[in-house]
Amino acid sequence: MKSLIDTYTLNNGIKIPIVGFGTWQTPDGAIAKVAVKSALSSGYRHIDTAEMYGNEKSIGAAIKESGVSRNSLFITSKLSNSAHSYEKATAAIEKSLKDLQVSSLDLFLIHWPNPKMFRDTDWEKHLQDTWRALEDSYKAGKLKAIGVSNFKKHHFDILKETQTVKPMVNQIRICPGDYNAQLIEYCKSEDILLEAYSPLGTGKIFTDETIKELAEKNNRTVAQICLRWSLQHGFLPLPKSIHEDRIEENSHLFDFDLSASDISTIDSLKGIVGYVSDPDTAEF
Ligand SMILES: NC(=O)c1ccc[n+]([C@@H]2O[C@H](COP(=O)([O-])OP(=O)(O)OC[C@H]3O[C@@H](n4cnc5c(N)ncnc54)[C@H](OP(=O)(O)O)[C@@H]3O)[C@@H](O)[C@H]2O)c1
């Protein structure tokens, strides 16, 4: 692990840069464009967006304007919760490709396994049909890798009944204080890469005294400690910021190591940033 463009290898052989730039709650328009261009200038080559973030068009425009070549970039998007059927998912993939101005995406994820509007007696079938749409776009070469987000083991079991392609990624909330060891072990045993969303607890981590002490001791910032902890666990963190200085700060992760004792101190923190919504009961 030496830089932002080091890669993990997914279970289909595709290489993915080990840090992604998060864009949830990044307002569409000028702010998203400036943030993405700043990230590209700081050396990020992996951008994480979603149809539901409402900023794909600005991100696509920023990438084009940046002049960074498409084949040096890794772009992820995710399916809207309103598109859990074969037809809707197929159309949503086409829309993401168009809005991002690309002919293929490096990774496309089912954002949530069981959205409220499909939470009926057929939700498992909706999920399987949706996955089949991702598989078909993958087989057609429009998606270089496919995966899921917010999946628990029982959601993978539902896919397994009909899947012809195994998910390559599970993007879940992993940050100090919210670490689902059982699910993480399950994904590792299945060779499914763990992307760590909200690696800074959506900004709630910055007041935690333990992390602040570790930051001082290591002569690094709170954000750098959290992101390094994620990387040393083998996760792929997705830090988000709209501020150039923070975007740059969050990229400096490769000139220090956390000791085993610092890692276990962070591992032992519980609930300091609250816990992720249960995908089967979340109000969306
Ligand atoms: N799959 C899913 O369901 C899902 C869910 C949540 C998130 N995600 C992905 O994961 C990404 C990251 O998660 P997140 O957006 O929840 O938040 P996060 O990265 O955990 O934290 C972002 C927050 O921390 C602030 N921040 C960032 N760097 C900082 C620094 N160095 N110093 C001080 N403050 C800093 C940001 O403020 P400013 O922006 O104002 O600088 C923002 O308020 C998302 O953007 C998205 O791509 C996916």
Side-chain angles (χ1 to χ4, degrees):
M1 263 193 324
K2 293 198 193 74
S3 81
L4 289 176
I5 56 166
D6 280 2
T7 54
Y8 295 123
T9 303
L10 300 176
N11 66 33
N12 67 342
I14 291 283
K15 293 193 183 306
I16 178 168
I18 62 177
V19 177
F21 181 64
T23 62
W24 177 42
Q25 303 189 110
T26 297
D28 195 33
I31 294 179
K33 282 173 78 171
V34 170
V36 169
K37 285 184 191 170
S38 298
L40 295 174
S41 297
S42 292
Y44 297 76
R45 288 294 177 268
H46 174 175
I47 312 286
D48 183 84
T49 183
E51 194 278 337
M52 291 193 291
Y53 301 169
N55 54 22
E56 286 174 306
K57 281 187 182 164
S58 303
I59 290 174
I63 289 170
K64 269 265 150 73
E65 288 169 22
S66 75
V68 175
S69 73
R70 171 67 186 98
N71 60 13
S72 67
L73 286 175
F74 193 101
I75 308 174
T76 301
S77 193
K78 315 184 194 82
L79 185 73
S80 166
N81 279 355
S82 63
H84 273 228
S85 75
Y86 183 87
E87 293 73 21
K88 286 180 182 168
T90 304
I93 291 164
E94 293 300 329
K95 183 169 185 307
S96 285
L97 290 170
K98 186 166 171 268
D99 287 352
L100 284 160
Q101 303 185 47
V102 291
S103 55
S104 65
L105 279 168
D106 301 284
L107 178 63
F108 194 82
L109 308 176
I110 296 182
H111 206 149
W112 289 85
N114 191 5
K116 191 175 182 188
M117 65 172 60
F118 289 90
R119 213 166 286 157
D120 53 25
T121 48
D122 272 345
W123 72 269
E124 290 99 332
K125 183 174 179 308
H126 294 310
L127 188 56
Q128 290 170 340
D129 289 347
T130 301
W131 183 249
R132 190 160 48 82
L134 267 67
E135 289 180 329
D136 285 353
S137 292
Y138 172 68
K139 289 170 189 170
K142 293 179 179 179
L143 308 175
K144 302 297 177 197
I146 52 177
V148 298
S149 177
N150 297 295
F151 266 46
K152 301 196 282 188
K153 180 179 177 300
H154 76 101
H155 302 120
F156 285 105
D157 292 339
I158 292 164
L159 291 194
K160 275 183 181 175
E161 289 171 15
T162 55
Q163 76 189 23
T164 59
V165 179
K166 180 179 172 169
M168 287 125 209
V169 163
N170 191 13
Q171 183 180 121
I172 57 174
R173 191 179 196 237
I174 306 177
C175 54
D178 191 7
Y179 178 98
N180 183 339
Q182 219 179 344
L183 179 58
I184 287 167
E185 278 320 304
Y186 171 74
C187 291
K188 285 186 177 169
S189 72
E190 293 280 324
D191 198 14
I192 294 169
L193 181 76
L194 287 150
E195 292 191 343
Y197 80 62
S198 305
L200 311 173
T202 317
K204 293 192 199 121
I205 203 74
F206 294 97
T207 51
D208 182 75
E209 289 305 324
T210 307
I211 308 270
K212 281 206 254 179
E213 278 167 30
L214 287 175
E216 204 166 312
K217 188 182 103 179
N218 284 280
N219 202 20
R220 294 293 184 282
T221 66
V222 164
Q224 289 165 342
I225 296 295
C226 296
L227 298 171
R228 184 72 203 182
W229 170 81
S230 198
L231 286 170
Q232 284 186 228
H233 269 298
F235 307 138
L236 191 158
L238 301 167
K240 172 263 177 186
S241 177
I242 56 168
H243 293 101
E244 197 176 344
D245 54 341
R246 294 175 175 177
I247 292 169
E248 176 71 18
E249 173 191 326
N250 298 349
S251 74
H252 292 287
L253 308 173
F254 304 98
D255 57 353
F256 73 108
D257 272 313
L258 290 173
S259 68
S261 131
D262 287 349
I263 288 179
S264 78
T265 299
I266 300 174
D267 289 350
S268 68
L269 298 170
K270 297 280 177 275
I272 54 170
V273 292
Y275 291 101
V276 70
S277 305
D278 181 339
D280 290 312
T281 55
E283 284 297 312
F284 46 82

